[in-house]
Structures are given as structure tokens and as C-alpha cells.
Amino acid sequence: AADMYEEDITIDIDLEDLYEIEWDAEIMQLGEIAASIFDIVEASQIFDDEADLTEVTIDGDLVSDLFDEIGESDLVNLAAYVAIEPILEMAGETAQAIITVPADIVWADEFAAIGTMAGEFFNTGVTIGDLESGDPMVLLTTMADMNFTVILNSRIVTNALINILSGEADLGIDLSVISIPANIVWLDELDGDGNIIANGELRNILLAINALASQVENLDFENFQISSIADLDVDAINTIFESRILVATITDLIKDLDFGDFNVVIPDSVFDEDGYILKLELQNVVDAVHMATTELACDPDDTECESLGFDFTKALTLDEDNIDILLESEILSATVGKMLIDMGGDVLVVPSTAT
């Protein structure tokens, strides 16, 4: 961390604290840390003359072991305890707004948690070339199989995510696409033995990300199209609906959908008492869109159609079974009805009893 700053960072460690360290054991522990680093380097073959560094991978289990060894060092724990405050002060207000270090943090546990995260990341098979590319989509694709809930083992990272998502930390990043309902309970509710009674919102979001990462390629909330969710299965939708933030966000995205020349009609009946889309309706929308991307393919060079993912004007060419799938969604049913009325003009007569 000190390398990030031009000026030197002075860490004042009380001599009495240094004297309390059992140096015979500490020197052996520092040797274990050095040995763990050597194991990582040797296993990755970084210094092999014939190795292609862009294809080199790192053993995540060894990385996790390294952080466990670091956490066992009294010297490192003492340095972390003393150094964190001056480092944050030098990092500036933005870093201090993001990073909140609990007063009762146990650094050995925190190092182990960071090691678990790093181990999960490297065990995805990410290569040195992937890291050097700086391409976020390459990294996101690589991380699709990662268990994101290990993040919650780190109290520092957990607090940082809450600070960012809640808006407490101003990063200059536009998070307006994410809808945050009021009275969010971020952390898990635990019993007296530390067992989870109820998932917090942060855990539910991470579980949903796990589900989305494995099923939706390049999901982009900033450029959301209805075809983006065509491949979601029931389990993924169930996981999404455990997160109030994701349900609120998807609801707002669906409200703002662009069907080109046709207006999206959203009946009030598809929303619950809080104004969020019902799970059954989202499932019906997903089923209909999955069908439409296959049966209502865009014509070549139809760029407007490509942005939606299917040609809605071809809905009248569907067979009976596919029409049934389309009309299971109240949103798409109402939208098709409005489209027919608009296309019919004065020729089409709609009885007042039609629903």
C-alpha cells in the first residue's frame, strides 16, 4: 500500500509491543511465509525459461495458504493494526468513505478471509495474461464460476461493499441504474451461536450474482434489453427474488424497456403491494422472450430489431403454442394488444367487452 504514495509512510510501533513478540517462533513463521511464496512461484513456473507468462495460472489453494501463514505472524498483525489508520488518512477522503475498519477486527481472521477470496479468484483459472489485459469482460467471464459469497468472510470488504451500494461512499460512479429500496438490512441475522437465521441483502445479492454469472453472458444493466434475461431458469429467478435490490432494479428496467416503434404496456396487476414486479410475471416474460429470440428472428441489417433481440412485428406469424407462451406474460399480452390496435387504425373494431 505504501508504494501507492509518493511520500513515505512512517509506522510507529511501540517497542514494548515488539518485545512481547516471541521472536524464535516469529522468525520461524516468517520463514513459513517465505516458503509459501516460493511454493506459489514454483507451482506457477513463472521463472521457467520456456513458460508463456500470458498463459501462467496461479494455484488458488496455495495463495489461500500464504494468507493463512501471514495471519499467523504476530509482526504482520501488529504492523497492520498500527499502519491501517495512517494509510487511510494518506489515501484521502474517498478511501476513508469506502473502507471502514471495525475497532474489534481480528487481523489474523481478516488475512485468512482475504486469502480465501484470492484463492477463489485464482482457482477460476484466470491467467497472468487475463490480468494484464485489463479487459473487465474477460475477467467477469473468468469469474463466472467463482463463489462470490466468500467476500462476506472479510469484514473490511463487506463494509466497503455496503458503503458503495448504499451511496455512503461517493466514488464518482453512476449507480443510478441500481434501485435501492428503503430500510435494507445489509448483514445476516445471526443466532447466539453465530448461525445465520436470515440472509442479509448483501449475501442475497452475491448469491444472485453467482446465479446470473453462470447463465447470462455480458449482462449490462446500463444497456439493458429484454433479451438479456432470456436464458434465466427458475432457480436463478428464485435467487434474484431473494434480493430486494435486484427485484427493484429489474422492475425499473422493465418499466423503461424500449420496444422501438411500439409502446410497452404494463398492467398494474403485474406488481406487488410494494410496486415490484411479481415473480410469476418475470418468469412468464423470460419464457416468452426465450421463445421470441428463436421464433421472431431479426431480418438481416435490421439494427433496431437487433437492439431488442427479436422482431416484435412478427408476433402475428407465431403458431398457436407459441402464441400461448407469449400471452402468458401480462406485459407482453397487453403490449401485443396495443400493437394490434395501433396497426388496425380505423379498420379494427375493438368491443368494449374485450380484455
Side-chain angles (χ1 to χ4, degrees):
D3 290 340
M4 296 171 59
Y5 310 104
E6 295 181 0
E7 56 185 297
D8 293 334
I9 296 176
T10 301
I11 301 176
D12 296 320
I13 299 180
D14 194 302
L15 284 176
E16 291 185 4
D17 292 331
L18 290 175
Y19 287 138
E20 290 178 2
I21 294 176
E22 296 182 7
W23 284 101
D24 288 346
E26 182 62 25
I27 291 173
M28 292 183 63
Q29 187 58 40
L30 294 175
E32 292 292 337
I33 294 173
S36 293
I37 294 173
F38 179 79
D39 288 342
I40 292 173
V41 172
E42 185 178 41
S44 62
Q45 299 180 330
I46 290 177
F47 295 129
D48 189 327
D49 292 338
E50 298 180 0
D52 181 356
L53 292 182
T54 62
E55 297 299 322
V56 167
T57 59
I58 295 176
D59 189 320
D61 293 338
L62 292 179
V63 172
S64 181
D65 291 342
L66 168 62
F67 277 87
D68 287 340
E69 297 293 352
I70 290 173
E72 292 295 320
S73 166
D74 291 337
L75 181 61
V76 173
N77 278 275
L78 179 60
Y81 174 78
V82 174
I84 190 65
E85 185 174 341
I87 288 176
L88 287 177
E89 287 179 356
M90 294 188 66
E93 294 181 358
T94 299
Q96 293 179 60
I98 298 171
I99 300 174
T100 304
V101 181
D104 61 346
I105 191 169
V106 178
W107 281 105
D109 295 341
E110 188 65 22
F111 282 125
I114 293 171
T116 300
M117 284 189 295
E120 276 280 334
F121 175 71
F122 284 111
N123 277 340
T124 61
V126 63
T127 66
I128 299 298
D130 294 332
L131 296 175
E132 291 178 339
S133 73
D135 186 339
M137 295 315 302
V138 170
L139 294 178
L140 287 174
T141 302
T142 302
M143 294 165 60
D145 295 328
M146 180 177 170
N147 177 13
F148 289 95
T149 59
V150 298
I151 290 172
L152 298 175
N153 295 335
S154 165
R155 298 178 68 187
I156 291 177
V157 177
T158 294
N159 287 340
L161 286 176
I162 293 173
N163 290 336
I164 293 170
L165 290 173
S166 65
E168 293 293 327
D170 183 8
L171 300 181
I173 301 174
D174 184 11
L175 297 176
S176 60
V177 69
I178 301 176
S179 303
I180 311 291
N183 303 318
I184 288 291
V185 178
W186 291 100
L187 298 177
D188 298 331
E189 181 182 352
L190 307 177
D191 63 18
D193 296 324
N195 300 311
I196 298 175
I197 299 173
N199 286 353
E201 178 64 22
L202 194 56
R203 183 177 297 276
N204 286 333
I205 289 176
L206 294 173
L207 288 170
I209 289 174
N210 279 343
L212 289 170
S214 63
Q215 295 191 25
V216 181
E217 183 178 357
N218 300 341
L219 180 62
D220 184 355
F221 281 153
E222 290 187 356
N223 300 291
F224 182 80
Q225 296 294 339
I226 192 67
S227 56
S228 302
I229 60 175
D231 293 326
L232 291 181
D233 63 19
V234 173
D235 290 339
I237 291 175
N238 287 338
T239 304
I240 288 171
F241 267 78
E242 294 297 321
S243 165
R244 293 180 62 202
I245 289 177
L246 288 179
V247 172
T249 299
I250 289 176
T251 297
D252 289 341
L253 291 171
I254 288 178
K255 287 180 180 178
D256 295 334
L257 278 176
D258 182 6
F259 271 51
D261 295 333
F262 302 101
N263 295 322
V264 179
V265 181
I266 305 181
D268 292 338
S269 56
V270 303
F271 300 118
D272 63 18
E273 63 274 10
D274 295 320
Y276 302 139
I277 191 168
L278 294 169
K279 185 191 297 186
L280 178 60
E281 176 60 21
L282 181 61
Q283 179 63 63
N284 289 337
V285 168
V286 168
D287 291 342
V289 171
H290 185 78
M291 176 275 297
T293 54
T294 302
E295 302 296 330
L296 305 178
C298 297
D299 292 329
D301 301 324
D302 187 343
T303 55
E304 183 174 334
C305 173
E306 289 176 0
S307 65
L308 179 60
F310 55 88
D311 190 344
F312 205 60
T313 63
K314 296 179 179 178
L316 299 181
T317 66
L318 293 172
D319 61 30
E320 183 176 349
D321 290 340
N322 286 325
I323 288 175
D324 288 341
I325 294 173
L326 183 70
L327 298 184
E328 280 295 316
S329 162
E330 293 188 46
I331 293 175
L332 295 179
S333 177
T335 302
V336 169
K338 180 67 165 58
M339 179 188 74
L340 291 174
I341 293 173
D342 292 343
M343 292 173 63
D346 296 331
V347 177
L348 188 64
V349 178
V350 182
S352 58
T353 56
T355 58

